[in-house]
Amino acid sequence: MRIGIIGLGSMGQMLVKSFCKSAVISPEHIVVFNRTRAKADALQARFGVAVADSAQAICEQASLIFICTKPLDILPVLEKLTIPREKHIVSVAAGVSISDLESVHAGPVSKVIPTVTSSELHGVSLYTASDRVSSEERSRLFTLLSAIGEVQEVTETNIETATILSSSAPGLIAGILDSFAQAAVRKTPELDIATARTILVETMLGTALLLKNEQLGFDQLIERVATKGGITEEGLRVLAKTLPGGFDELFAMTESKHAALKELVQKQVGKQMDEKE
Ligand SMILES: NC(=O)C1=CN([C@@H]2O[C@H](COP(=O)(O)OP(=O)(O)OC[C@H]3O[C@@H](n4cnc5c(N)ncnc54)[C@H](OP(=O)(O)O)[C@@H]3O)[C@@H](O)[C@H]2O)C=CC1
Ligand SMILES: O=C(O)[C@@H]1CCC=N1
């Protein structure tokens, strides 16, 4: 089987690197295309993947095709192509639904929300099923995704909130850690930012491993750290006051952004229907 990847920004490059690193597929079975060719050539030089001259060539050379452009470029790119019916199209875009994809391809379509952390072969790829995908096609896709992390099948109703937890979270966590480190340095300027960063990154890694390997609940880890009457308890009290409201607002704002994006994609679907009539 040959897989194709159209769009080689953060996600397209991540998929190439992760698939090659995991060795789930050999590089010569990966064919890539990007609007700006230099990104494709760089991946070919580094990993030995094949480079196509056009997105149409990807449709002819690959049976499973990841489309990794920005959400508002997904449908316009796909509708210009002649895609053989049997090709399995996988969109990674937030805000583009299975039915949107079905409006531009008569064959099997899937929606996957990957995550940057898969380049470390950890993290969660979200998957939403389409009725048109056969069990063999689904299983081929799952084999690829489970080689670069875990796969969680979610409904389209749940995928937006889950996207924040799986795919936005690496950026959000980096933002939280940055704020944590900056506050430490404001409090104690002798502790430089690089040292604060090193301490936090190693601590975060150890925390994740403890939670995962010992199957601890968050409350169990908290109990292990926060000595009764000790220092951590004070910090937790502050977090309990300030974080819930902040996270509620974060989910409200990201939901609005998802809704705005979906509305724009729906306009593209409507326009394409009008042009067909
Ligand atoms: N970044 C993330 O962590 C996540 C992103 N996603 C989704 O992944 C998708 C891509 O995001 P991201 O990688 O961050 O975006 P980027 O802007 O980094 O990458 C988009 C890529 O698409 C290419 N492109 C645009 N138009 C075409 C075209 N017509 N033909 C071929 N290639 C084209 C661009 O080429 P050029 O080099 O010319 O600009 C660019 O390389 C989005 O839909 C997003 O919702 C999902 C989960 C996580
Ligand atoms: O921020 C974004 O729009 C993309 C989708 C999820 C993570 N990154």
Side-chain angles (χ1 to χ4, degrees):
M1 181 190 63
R2 225 169 180 211
I3 66 164
I5 301 178
I6 299 173
L8 299 169
S10 175
M11 279 305 96
Q13 290 191 34
M14 180 284 291
L15 288 177
V16 171
K17 285 179 198 162
S18 311
F19 290 149
C20 292
K21 185 173 181 176
S22 71
V24 65
I25 184 166
S26 57
E28 62 270 26
H29 289 128
I30 302 176
V31 55
V32 299
F33 172 71
N34 190 60
R35 183 174 56 190
T36 306
R37 175 141 185 151
K39 287 184 191 168
D41 289 342
L43 288 172
Q44 181 174 51
R46 183 164 169 201
F47 298 105
V49 295
V51 176
D53 288 331
S54 64
Q56 186 57 47
I58 295 269
C59 294
E60 280 138 31
Q61 294 170 27
S63 53
L64 173 58
I65 299 161
F66 291 88
I67 169 110
C68 303
T69 59
K70 286 191 187 170
L72 296 180
D73 291 327
I74 298 278
L75 300 185
V77 168
L78 291 176
E79 72 190 2
K80 284 197 198 88
L81 302 173
T82 305
I83 311 171
R85 194 187 175 94
E86 71 279 8
K87 306 293 171 141
H88 184 180
I89 301 292
V90 180
S91 159
V92 304
V96 179
S97 70
I98 291 289
S99 69
D100 297 331
L101 296 167
E102 287 178 344
S103 76
V104 288
H105 179 47
V109 294
S110 288
K111 173 169 172 168
V112 168
I113 301 289
T115 175
V116 278
T117 63
S118 278
S119 61
E120 290 301 320
L121 309 186
H122 283 286
V124 175
S125 300
L126 304 175
Y127 174 73
T128 299
S130 148
D131 296 343
R132 292 192 197 157
V133 177
S134 70
S135 56
E136 291 77 23
E137 286 158 344
R138 184 179 182 282
S139 143
R140 272 201 293 271
L141 179 56
F142 268 56
T143 301
L144 288 168
L145 297 176
S146 45
I148 63 170
E150 293 185 17
V151 190
Q152 283 280 339
E153 190 155 359
V154 288
T155 62
E156 287 207 90
T157 319
N158 296 341
I159 202 162
E160 291 171 14
T161 301
T163 293
I164 307 306
L165 297 178
S166 64
S167 300
S168 297
L172 298 172
I173 291 169
I176 292 168
L177 293 180
D178 185 36
S179 184
F180 206 172
Q182 304 273 4
V185 175
R186 275 197 303 278
K187 178 76 187 74
T188 306
E190 298 75 25
L191 188 76
D192 64 282
I193 195 81
T195 307
R197 181 189 180 280
T198 303
I199 294 172
L200 281 173
V201 169
E202 200 53 33
T203 302
M204 186 181 58
L205 193 59
T207 306
L209 288 171
L210 256 181
L211 286 166
K212 184 167 176 166
N213 294 343
E214 295 197 24
Q215 303 252 303
L216 295 179
F218 295 127
D219 53 343
Q220 289 173 303
L221 183 54
I222 288 171
E223 202 185 327
R224 215 182 264 192
V225 176
T227 310
K228 294 275 175 271
I231 296 153
T232 312
E233 267 186 359
E234 291 307 317
L236 284 164
R237 260 192 280 279
V238 175
L239 294 186
K241 261 196 297 186
T242 52
L243 286 189
F247 279 116
D248 286 343
E249 189 180 348
L250 183 154
F251 278 106
M253 295 308 288
T254 52
E255 181 186 38
S256 302
K257 186 67 189 183
H258 255 119
L261 204 48
K262 285 190 291 186
E263 205 178 309
L264 292 172
V265 174
Q266 277 311 299
K267 282 198 183 132
Q268 293 180 327
V269 174
K271 199 167 148 236
Q272 164 217 328
M273 297 292 182
D274 291 346
E275 281 166 7
K276 270 189 198 157
E277 280 167 13

